[in-house]
């Protein structure tokens, strides 16, 4: 089935991909190799875009007004980052697309976000778990990206890092309050962390797209961020009187467009209006 | 991943958890409100804090975060104070008459009988 996530390292070679028979799933891999910089920028932009979209699903449904504003603010911050990164990707790929075209005209197989951000919101504790695990990573990634040899990435990172620092801090505060709270909030917090733990390894997994960019000093060496990440997570979990989740295997594949079933539904909602009214302007 | 029972030694955290518990759909949970906090803001170029409204929050740190999210969306560089509403003691408005009116007719309390030098600002 085309939309199963890859649960083992993808060993498909380029030759195999080119020789693949016609069909939507294989055709994507057989297409022209994307420019490394465009793909890298798309990964960063898609992470922010999809997470922002998830957070806007809370609009009108948050537990209370203050949380509603917090989540909406986060969503807006993320859309701002997505706009900048996707504009950069569009410029780098040079195919005449802009950020809007990338956001609203690509389909599931072309999205490069990690699997964690496309997970459904669930209850508030599950949303907090996703935010905590992702924003802590994104903060480390952006802090490192500020030192990119490509000034375009460095500038976007410098702007976004302050926002994401706030995201990570507030999410951590919520993990602590829900974890070290009532029996029910604790159970839900544990469930939320357990659910998302399987998507953590993908955040730090290097692949053939970012290896040359890391060597050139443009991209962040994400694997190197893992020890500090583990320490940050452990510190917050300790204060929340929670223990580190354990999951038997990691789910990966988002960076290659092998997404979970959730992304299709999310895009159907997100892209409906621009696709239905392609000439609309405002 | 199951740990020991929650320590619960921070009562405000239990309150935060309780609110989220209601929010996440626990059935038959009694309605519990977070404490109310009054928010005071001083803009970067301002002189004094102004009362801008209130937020609900389980504890002081969250109150600052909620106030920041609610009241500083369109400004930079503010100083933010939050105070529990219960800690504010206000004069009874029904007693405004006896509290304030006597001062109105005491012209000798007003410093209007000399000229202020131009250098003195904010008077």
């Amino acid at each position: 089935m085309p939309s199963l996530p890859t649960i083992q390292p993808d060993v498909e070679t380029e030759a195999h991909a080119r020789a693949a028979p016609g069909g939507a799933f294989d055709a994507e891999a057989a297409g022209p190799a994307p420019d490394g910089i465009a793909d890298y920028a798309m990964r960063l932009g898609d992470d922010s875009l999809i997470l922002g979209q998830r957070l806007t699903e809370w609009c009108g449904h948050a537990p209370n007004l203050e949380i509603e504003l917090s989540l909406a603010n986060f969503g807006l911050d993320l859309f701002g980052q997505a706009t900048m990164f996707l504009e950069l990707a569009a410029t780098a790929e040079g195919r005449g697309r802009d950020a809007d075209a990338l956001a609203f005209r690509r389909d599931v197989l072309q999205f490069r976000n990690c699997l964690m951000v496309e997970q459904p919101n669930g209850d508030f504790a599950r949303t907090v778990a996703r935010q905590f695990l992702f924003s802590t990573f994104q903060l480390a990634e952006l802090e490192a990206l500020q030192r990119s040899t490509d000034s375009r990435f460095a500038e976007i990172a410098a702007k976004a890092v302050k926002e994401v620092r706030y995201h990570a801090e507030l999410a951590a505060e919520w993990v602590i309050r829900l974890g070290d709270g009532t029996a029910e909030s604790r159970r839900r917090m544990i469930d939320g962390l357990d659910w998302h733990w399987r998507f953590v390894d993908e955040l730090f997994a290097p692949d053939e797209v970012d290896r040359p960019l890391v060597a050139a000093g443009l991209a962040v060496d994400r694997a190197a961020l893992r020890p500090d990440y583990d320490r940050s997570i452990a510190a917050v979990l300790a204060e929340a009187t929670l223990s580190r989740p354990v999951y038997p295997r990691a789910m990966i594949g988002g960076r290659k467009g092998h997404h979970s079933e959730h992304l299709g539904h999310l895009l159907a909602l997100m892209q409906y209006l621009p696709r239905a009214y392609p000439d609309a302007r405002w | 991943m199951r740990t020991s029972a929650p320590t619960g030694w921070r009562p405000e955290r239990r309150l935060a958890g309780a609110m989220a518990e209601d929010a996440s759909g626990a059935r038959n949970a009694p309605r519990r409100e977070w404490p109310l906090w009054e928010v005071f803001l001083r803009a970067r170029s301002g002189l004094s804090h102004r009362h801008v409204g209130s937020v609900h929050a389980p504890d002081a740190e969250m109150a600052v975060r909620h106030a920041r999210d609610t009241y500083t969306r369109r400004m930079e560089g503010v100083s933010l104070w939050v105070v529990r509403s219960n800690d504010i003691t206000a004069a009874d408005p029904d007693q405004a008459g006896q509290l304030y009116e006597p001062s109105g007719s005491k012209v000798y309390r007003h410093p209007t009988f000399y000229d202020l030098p131009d250098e003195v600002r904010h008077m």
Side-chain angles (χ1 to χ4, degrees), chain B residues 35-86:
Chain B
L36 188 65
W37 305 73
E38 301 299 328
V39 180
F40 300 86
L41 266 186
R42 184 182 63 208
R44 185 203 288 272
S45 55
L47 288 172
S48 50
H49 287 74
R50 296 172 55 237
H51 180 240
V52 292
S54 54
V55 291
H56 286 92
D59 54 60
E61 292 88 9
M62 266 310 184
V64 171
R65 298 219 178 252
H66 286 169
R68 178 262 189 204
D69 289 341
T70 308
Y71 293 108
T72 69
R73 295 193 63 220
R74 302 188 182 91
M75 58 183 74
E76 291 184 19
V78 297
S79 169
L80 193 58
W81 290 350
V82 293
V83 182
R84 260 185 216 265
S85 304
N86 284 348

Short mmCIF file of all heavy atoms in Angstrom, two decimals, chain B residues 35-86:
data_model
loop_
_atom_site.label_atom_id
_atom_site.label_comp_id
_atom_site.label_asym_id
_atom_site.label_seq_id
_atom_site.Cartn_x
_atom_site.Cartn_y
_atom_site.Cartn_z
N PRO B 35 -7.30 29.70 39.15
CA PRO B 35 -7.36 31.03 39.75
C PRO B 35 -7.28 32.12 38.69
O PRO B 35 -6.73 31.91 37.61
CB PRO B 35 -6.12 31.07 40.65
CG PRO B 35 -5.71 29.65 40.84
CD PRO B 35 -6.20 28.89 39.65
N LEU B 36 -7.80 33.28 39.03
CA LEU B 36 -7.77 34.42 38.12
C LEU B 36 -6.61 35.32 38.49
O LEU B 36 -6.32 35.52 39.67
CB LEU B 36 -9.09 35.19 38.23
CG LEU B 36 -9.31 36.31 37.21
CD1 LEU B 36 -9.41 35.73 35.82
CD2 LEU B 36 -10.58 37.08 37.56
N TRP B 37 -5.94 35.84 37.47
CA TRP B 37 -4.78 36.71 37.67
C TRP B 37 -5.01 37.99 36.89
O TRP B 37 -5.47 37.97 35.76
CB TRP B 37 -3.51 36.03 37.14
CG TRP B 37 -3.25 34.69 37.71
CD1 TRP B 37 -3.92 33.54 37.44
CD2 TRP B 37 -2.24 34.36 38.66
NE1 TRP B 37 -3.39 32.50 38.16
CE2 TRP B 37 -2.36 32.97 38.91
CE3 TRP B 37 -1.24 35.08 39.32
CZ2 TRP B 37 -1.53 32.30 39.80
CZ3 TRP B 37 -0.40 34.40 40.18
CH2 TRP B 37 -0.55 33.04 40.43
N GLU B 38 -4.65 39.12 37.49
CA GLU B 38 -4.74 40.40 36.79
C GLU B 38 -3.40 40.68 36.12
O GLU B 38 -2.34 40.38 36.67
CB GLU B 38 -5.07 41.53 37.76
CG GLU B 38 -6.39 41.32 38.50
CD GLU B 38 -7.59 41.24 37.58
OE1 GLU B 38 -7.58 41.90 36.53
OE2 GLU B 38 -8.53 40.49 37.90
N VAL B 39 -3.46 41.24 34.93
CA VAL B 39 -2.26 41.44 34.12
C VAL B 39 -1.97 42.91 33.97
O VAL B 39 -2.85 43.70 33.64
CB VAL B 39 -2.46 40.81 32.71
CG1 VAL B 39 -1.22 41.00 31.86
CG2 VAL B 39 -2.81 39.34 32.84
N PHE B 40 -0.72 43.29 34.20
CA PHE B 40 -0.28 44.67 34.08
C PHE B 40 0.89 44.71 33.10
O PHE B 40 1.84 43.95 33.22
CB PHE B 40 0.17 45.22 35.43
CG PHE B 40 -0.91 45.20 36.47
CD1 PHE B 40 -1.14 44.06 37.22
CD2 PHE B 40 -1.72 46.31 36.68
CE1 PHE B 40 -2.15 44.02 38.18
CE2 PHE B 40 -2.72 46.29 37.63
CZ PHE B 40 -2.95 45.14 38.38
N LEU B 41 0.79 45.64 32.14
CA LEU B 41 1.80 45.72 31.09
C LEU B 41 2.43 47.09 31.07
O LEU B 41 1.75 48.10 31.18
CB LEU B 41 1.13 45.54 29.72
CG LEU B 41 1.06 44.18 29.05
CD1 LEU B 41 0.47 44.38 27.67
CD2 LEU B 41 2.43 43.57 28.95
N ARG B 42 3.74 47.12 30.86
CA ARG B 42 4.39 48.40 30.57
C ARG B 42 5.04 48.26 29.20
O ARG B 42 5.89 47.39 29.00
CB ARG B 42 5.43 48.75 31.62
CG ARG B 42 6.05 50.14 31.38
CD ARG B 42 7.11 50.47 32.40
NE ARG B 42 8.23 49.54 32.32
CZ ARG B 42 9.01 49.23 33.36
NH1 ARG B 42 8.78 49.76 34.54
NH2 ARG B 42 10.00 48.38 33.21
N ALA B 43 4.63 49.08 28.28
CA ALA B 43 5.25 49.06 26.95
C ALA B 43 6.69 49.51 27.06
O ALA B 43 7.09 50.15 28.03
CB ALA B 43 4.48 49.98 26.00
N ARG B 44 7.48 49.17 26.02
CA ARG B 44 8.92 49.47 26.08
C ARG B 44 9.19 50.94 26.36
O ARG B 44 10.08 51.29 27.11
CB ARG B 44 9.56 49.07 24.74
CG ARG B 44 11.06 49.21 24.74
CD ARG B 44 11.57 49.35 23.32
NE ARG B 44 11.49 48.11 22.57
CZ ARG B 44 12.45 47.18 22.55
NH1 ARG B 44 13.54 47.35 23.25
NH2 ARG B 44 12.31 46.09 21.84
N SER B 45 8.37 51.78 25.75
CA SER B 45 8.61 53.21 25.91
C SER B 45 7.74 53.81 27.01
O SER B 45 7.70 55.01 27.18
CB SER B 45 8.31 53.92 24.59
OG SER B 45 6.99 53.62 24.18
N GLY B 46 7.03 52.98 27.72
CA GLY B 46 6.09 53.50 28.71
C GLY B 46 6.76 53.77 30.04
O GLY B 46 7.91 53.43 30.29
N LEU B 47 5.96 54.40 30.90
CA LEU B 47 6.50 54.79 32.20
C LEU B 47 5.98 53.89 33.31
O LEU B 47 6.69 53.62 34.26
CB LEU B 47 6.10 56.22 32.51
CG LEU B 47 6.82 57.28 31.70
CD1 LEU B 47 6.18 58.63 31.97
CD2 LEU B 47 8.29 57.33 32.10
N SER B 48 4.72 53.53 33.23
CA SER B 48 4.15 52.75 34.32
C SER B 48 3.33 51.61 33.75
O SER B 48 2.90 51.64 32.60
CB SER B 48 3.28 53.65 35.20
OG SER B 48 2.38 54.37 34.40
N HIS B 49 3.13 50.60 34.58
CA HIS B 49 2.34 49.46 34.15
C HIS B 49 0.87 49.84 34.11
O HIS B 49 0.38 50.59 34.96
CB HIS B 49 2.54 48.29 35.11
CG HIS B 49 3.88 47.64 34.97
ND1 HIS B 49 5.03 48.23 35.43
CD2 HIS B 49 4.25 46.46 34.42
CE1 HIS B 49 6.05 47.43 35.17
NE2 HIS B 49 5.61 46.36 34.56
N ARG B 50 0.19 49.32 33.09
CA ARG B 50 -1.24 49.57 32.98
C ARG B 50 -1.97 48.24 33.06
O ARG B 50 -1.50 47.23 32.54
CB ARG B 50 -1.56 50.25 31.65
CG ARG B 50 -0.94 51.62 31.53
CD ARG B 50 -1.11 52.20 30.13
NE ARG B 50 -2.50 52.21 29.72
CZ ARG B 50 -2.96 51.61 28.61
NH1 ARG B 50 -2.13 50.98 27.82
NH2 ARG B 50 -4.23 51.64 28.30
N HIS B 51 -3.11 48.27 33.67
CA HIS B 51 -3.91 47.06 33.76
C HIS B 51 -4.53 46.78 32.40
O HIS B 51 -5.21 47.65 31.84
CB HIS B 51 -5.00 47.25 34.82
CG HIS B 51 -5.87 46.05 34.99
ND1 HIS B 51 -7.23 46.08 34.79
CD2 HIS B 51 -5.57 44.78 35.32
CE1 HIS B 51 -7.73 44.88 35.00
NE2 HIS B 51 -6.75 44.07 35.34
N VAL B 52 -4.29 45.62 31.84
CA VAL B 52 -4.80 45.32 30.51
C VAL B 52 -5.86 44.23 30.52
O VAL B 52 -6.51 43.99 29.50
CB VAL B 52 -3.67 44.91 29.54
CG1 VAL B 52 -2.77 46.09 29.26
CG2 VAL B 52 -2.87 43.73 30.09
N GLY B 53 -6.03 43.54 31.62
CA GLY B 53 -7.05 42.50 31.63
C GLY B 53 -6.66 41.40 32.59
O GLY B 53 -5.82 41.59 33.47
N SER B 54 -7.24 40.24 32.38
CA SER B 54 -6.98 39.14 33.29
C SER B 54 -6.86 37.83 32.52
O SER B 54 -7.29 37.73 31.38
CB SER B 54 -8.10 39.04 34.33
OG SER B 54 -9.35 38.94 33.67
N VAL B 55 -6.25 36.84 33.16
CA VAL B 55 -6.15 35.50 32.60
C VAL B 55 -6.42 34.49 33.71
O VAL B 55 -6.23 34.79 34.88
CB VAL B 55 -4.75 35.21 32.00
CG1 VAL B 55 -4.49 36.04 30.77
CG2 VAL B 55 -3.65 35.38 33.04
N HIS B 56 -6.82 33.30 33.31
CA HIS B 56 -6.87 32.19 34.24
C HIS B 56 -5.61 31.36 34.06
O HIS B 56 -5.16 31.14 32.93
CB HIS B 56 -8.10 31.31 33.96
CG HIS B 56 -9.39 31.90 34.39
ND1 HIS B 56 -10.17 32.65 33.54
CD2 HIS B 56 -10.05 31.87 35.57
CE1 HIS B 56 -11.25 33.05 34.18
NE2 HIS B 56 -11.20 32.59 35.42
N ALA B 57 -5.04 30.90 35.14
CA ALA B 57 -3.84 30.06 35.05
C ALA B 57 -3.71 29.27 36.34
O ALA B 57 -4.17 29.73 37.39
CB ALA B 57 -2.59 30.91 34.82
N PRO B 58 -3.08 28.10 36.28
CA PRO B 58 -2.97 27.30 37.50
C PRO B 58 -1.94 27.82 38.48
O PRO B 58 -2.06 27.55 39.68
CB PRO B 58 -2.55 25.92 36.98
CG PRO B 58 -1.92 26.18 35.66
CD PRO B 58 -2.60 27.38 35.09
N ASP B 59 -0.92 28.55 37.99
CA ASP B 59 0.13 29.02 38.89
C ASP B 59 0.79 30.25 38.27
O ASP B 59 0.46 30.65 37.16
CB ASP B 59 1.17 27.92 39.15
CG ASP B 59 1.75 27.37 37.87
OD1 ASP B 59 2.35 28.15 37.09
OD2 ASP B 59 1.60 26.17 37.62
N ALA B 60 1.76 30.82 39.00
CA ALA B 60 2.33 32.10 38.58
C ALA B 60 3.09 31.99 37.26
O ALA B 60 2.96 32.86 36.40
CB ALA B 60 3.25 32.63 39.67
N GLU B 61 3.88 30.93 37.07
CA GLU B 61 4.66 30.84 35.82
C GLU B 61 3.73 30.73 34.62
O GLU B 61 3.95 31.36 33.58
CB GLU B 61 5.59 29.62 35.84
CG GLU B 61 6.73 29.70 36.83
CD GLU B 61 6.34 29.19 38.20
OE1 GLU B 61 5.24 28.61 38.33
OE2 GLU B 61 7.13 29.37 39.14
N MET B 62 2.70 29.91 34.75
CA MET B 62 1.74 29.78 33.65
C MET B 62 0.99 31.08 33.44
O MET B 62 0.63 31.42 32.31
CB MET B 62 0.73 28.67 33.93
CG MET B 62 1.11 27.33 33.35
SD MET B 62 1.55 27.44 31.61
CE MET B 62 1.80 25.73 31.25
N ALA B 63 0.72 31.82 34.52
CA ALA B 63 0.00 33.08 34.37
C ALA B 63 0.82 34.05 33.51
O ALA B 63 0.27 34.74 32.65
CB ALA B 63 -0.28 33.69 35.75
N VAL B 64 2.13 34.08 33.73
CA VAL B 64 2.97 34.94 32.90
C VAL B 64 2.90 34.49 31.44
O VAL B 64 2.79 35.31 30.53
CB VAL B 64 4.43 34.92 33.40
CG1 VAL B 64 5.35 35.63 32.42
CG2 VAL B 64 4.53 35.57 34.76
N ARG B 65 2.94 33.19 31.21
CA ARG B 65 2.91 32.70 29.83
C ARG B 65 1.56 33.00 29.18
O ARG B 65 1.52 33.43 28.02
CB ARG B 65 3.19 31.20 29.81
CG ARG B 65 4.56 30.89 30.36
CD ARG B 65 5.23 29.80 29.59
NE ARG B 65 6.57 29.55 30.11
CZ ARG B 65 7.67 29.89 29.48
NH1 ARG B 65 7.59 30.48 28.30
NH2 ARG B 65 8.83 29.64 30.00
N HIS B 66 0.49 32.77 29.91
CA HIS B 66 -0.82 33.06 29.34
C HIS B 66 -0.98 34.55 29.07
O HIS B 66 -1.55 34.94 28.04
CB HIS B 66 -1.94 32.56 30.27
CG HIS B 66 -2.09 31.07 30.27
ND1 HIS B 66 -2.86 30.41 31.18
CD2 HIS B 66 -1.58 30.13 29.46
CE1 HIS B 66 -2.82 29.11 30.93
NE2 HIS B 66 -2.04 28.90 29.89
N ALA B 67 -0.49 35.36 29.98
CA ALA B 67 -0.59 36.81 29.78
C ALA B 67 0.22 37.22 28.56
O ALA B 67 -0.22 38.04 27.75
CB ALA B 67 -0.11 37.54 31.02
N ARG B 68 1.39 36.63 28.40
CA ARG B 68 2.21 36.95 27.24
C ARG B 68 1.48 36.54 25.97
O ARG B 68 1.44 37.28 25.00
CB ARG B 68 3.56 36.21 27.37
CG ARG B 68 4.49 36.40 26.20
CD ARG B 68 4.39 35.25 25.24
NE ARG B 68 5.42 35.28 24.21
CZ ARG B 68 5.31 34.69 23.02
NH1 ARG B 68 4.22 34.04 22.73
NH2 ARG B 68 6.30 34.73 22.15
N ASP B 69 0.88 35.36 25.97
CA ASP B 69 0.20 34.89 24.77
C ASP B 69 -1.06 35.69 24.47
O ASP B 69 -1.46 35.84 23.32
CB ASP B 69 -0.17 33.40 24.91
CG ASP B 69 1.04 32.49 24.86
OD1 ASP B 69 2.09 32.94 24.36
OD2 ASP B 69 0.95 31.34 25.32
N THR B 70 -1.71 36.16 25.50
CA THR B 70 -3.00 36.82 25.31
C THR B 70 -2.85 38.30 25.04
O THR B 70 -3.58 38.86 24.22
CB THR B 70 -3.88 36.61 26.55
OG1 THR B 70 -3.93 35.23 26.86
CG2 THR B 70 -5.29 37.13 26.34
N TYR B 71 -1.94 38.96 25.76
CA TYR B 71 -1.91 40.42 25.74
C TYR B 71 -0.71 41.04 25.06
O TYR B 71 -0.64 42.25 24.93
CB TYR B 71 -1.99 40.96 27.18
CG TYR B 71 -3.32 40.67 27.83
CD1 TYR B 71 -3.44 39.72 28.84
CD2 TYR B 71 -4.47 41.33 27.41
CE1 TYR B 71 -4.67 39.45 29.41
CE2 TYR B 71 -5.70 41.07 27.98
CZ TYR B 71 -5.79 40.12 28.98
OH TYR B 71 -7.00 39.85 29.54
N THR B 72 0.26 40.24 24.60
CA THR B 72 1.41 40.86 23.97
C THR B 72 1.58 40.39 22.53
O THR B 72 2.68 40.33 22.01
CB THR B 72 2.72 40.56 24.74
OG1 THR B 72 3.04 39.17 24.59
CG2 THR B 72 2.58 40.88 26.19
N ARG B 73 0.47 40.10 21.88
CA ARG B 73 0.58 39.55 20.53
C ARG B 73 1.11 40.56 19.54
O ARG B 73 1.67 40.19 18.52
CB ARG B 73 -0.78 39.03 20.07
CG ARG B 73 -1.27 37.86 20.90
CD ARG B 73 -2.44 37.18 20.24
NE ARG B 73 -2.04 36.62 18.97
CZ ARG B 73 -2.79 36.65 17.89
NH1 ARG B 73 -3.96 37.22 17.92
NH2 ARG B 73 -2.36 36.13 16.77
N ARG B 74 0.89 41.82 19.80
CA ARG B 74 1.24 42.81 18.79
C ARG B 74 2.24 43.82 19.29
O ARG B 74 2.29 44.94 18.81
CB ARG B 74 -0.02 43.53 18.31
CG ARG B 74 -1.04 42.57 17.74
CD ARG B 74 -2.19 43.29 17.10
NE ARG B 74 -3.18 42.33 16.61
CZ ARG B 74 -4.21 41.89 17.32
NH1 ARG B 74 -4.41 42.36 18.53
NH2 ARG B 74 -5.04 41.02 16.82
N MET B 75 3.03 43.47 20.27
CA MET B 75 3.98 44.46 20.75
C MET B 75 5.27 43.77 21.15
O MET B 75 5.33 42.58 21.35
CB MET B 75 3.41 45.23 21.94
CG MET B 75 3.03 44.33 23.10
SD MET B 75 2.28 45.25 24.44
CE MET B 75 0.66 45.60 23.78
N GLU B 76 6.31 44.55 21.28
CA GLU B 76 7.60 44.02 21.68
C GLU B 76 8.07 44.67 22.96
O GLU B 76 7.64 45.75 23.30
CB GLU B 76 8.66 44.32 20.60
CG GLU B 76 8.44 43.57 19.32
CD GLU B 76 9.57 43.83 18.35
OE1 GLU B 76 10.64 44.29 18.79
OE2 GLU B 76 9.36 43.60 17.16
N GLY B 77 8.98 43.99 23.59
CA GLY B 77 9.70 44.62 24.69
C GLY B 77 8.83 45.16 25.79
O GLY B 77 8.91 46.33 26.13
N VAL B 78 8.02 44.29 26.38
CA VAL B 78 7.15 44.77 27.44
C VAL B 78 7.62 44.23 28.77
O VAL B 78 8.34 43.25 28.86
CB VAL B 78 5.69 44.33 27.22
CG1 VAL B 78 5.14 44.93 25.96
CG2 VAL B 78 5.62 42.81 27.16
N SER B 79 7.21 44.91 29.82
CA SER B 79 7.37 44.38 31.16
C SER B 79 6.00 43.88 31.60
O SER B 79 5.00 44.59 31.45
CB SER B 79 7.88 45.48 32.10
OG SER B 79 7.79 45.05 33.44
N LEU B 80 5.96 42.69 32.08
CA LEU B 80 4.69 42.02 32.35
C LEU B 80 4.62 41.65 33.82
O LEU B 80 5.51 41.01 34.34
CB LEU B 80 4.66 40.75 31.48
CG LEU B 80 3.39 39.97 31.29
CD1 LEU B 80 2.33 40.84 30.68
CD2 LEU B 80 3.67 38.81 30.35
N TRP B 81 3.57 42.08 34.46
CA TRP B 81 3.32 41.66 35.84
C TRP B 81 2.02 40.89 35.89
O TRP B 81 1.05 41.27 35.23
CB TRP B 81 3.18 42.86 36.79
CG TRP B 81 4.43 43.64 37.04
CD1 TRP B 81 5.69 43.30 36.70
CD2 TRP B 81 4.51 44.90 37.70
NE1 TRP B 81 6.56 44.26 37.12
CE2 TRP B 81 5.87 45.27 37.73
CE3 TRP B 81 3.58 45.77 38.28
CZ2 TRP B 81 6.32 46.44 38.31
CZ3 TRP B 81 4.03 46.94 38.86
CH2 TRP B 81 5.39 47.27 38.87
N VAL B 82 1.96 39.85 36.70
CA VAL B 82 0.69 39.19 36.98
C VAL B 82 0.54 39.10 38.49
O VAL B 82 1.51 38.86 39.21
CB VAL B 82 0.60 37.79 36.34
CG1 VAL B 82 0.56 37.89 34.84
CG2 VAL B 82 1.71 36.89 36.80
N VAL B 83 -0.66 39.31 38.93
CA VAL B 83 -0.97 39.25 40.36
C VAL B 83 -2.26 38.47 40.51
O VAL B 83 -3.19 38.67 39.74
CB VAL B 83 -1.18 40.67 40.94
CG1 VAL B 83 -1.45 40.59 42.43
CG2 VAL B 83 0.02 41.55 40.65
N ARG B 84 -2.29 37.59 41.47
CA ARG B 84 -3.54 36.89 41.74
C ARG B 84 -4.61 37.91 42.06
O ARG B 84 -4.41 38.81 42.88
CB ARG B 84 -3.38 35.99 42.97
CG ARG B 84 -3.15 34.56 42.64
CD ARG B 84 -3.13 33.76 43.95
NE ARG B 84 -2.15 32.68 43.85
CZ ARG B 84 -2.45 31.44 43.48
NH1 ARG B 84 -3.70 31.12 43.20
NH2 ARG B 84 -1.52 30.52 43.39
N SER B 85 -5.76 37.78 41.44
CA SER B 85 -6.85 38.73 41.68
C SER B 85 -7.20 38.79 43.16
O SER B 85 -7.53 39.86 43.69
CB SER B 85 -8.07 38.35 40.87
OG SER B 85 -7.74 38.27 39.52
N ASN B 86 -7.12 37.63 43.82
CA ASN B 86 -7.47 37.61 45.25
C ASN B 86 -6.52 38.45 46.10
O ASN B 86 -6.88 38.85 47.20
CB ASN B 86 -7.43 36.18 45.77
CG ASN B 86 -8.64 35.40 45.31
OD1 ASN B 86 -9.59 35.97 44.80
ND2 ASN B 86 -8.60 34.09 45.50
#
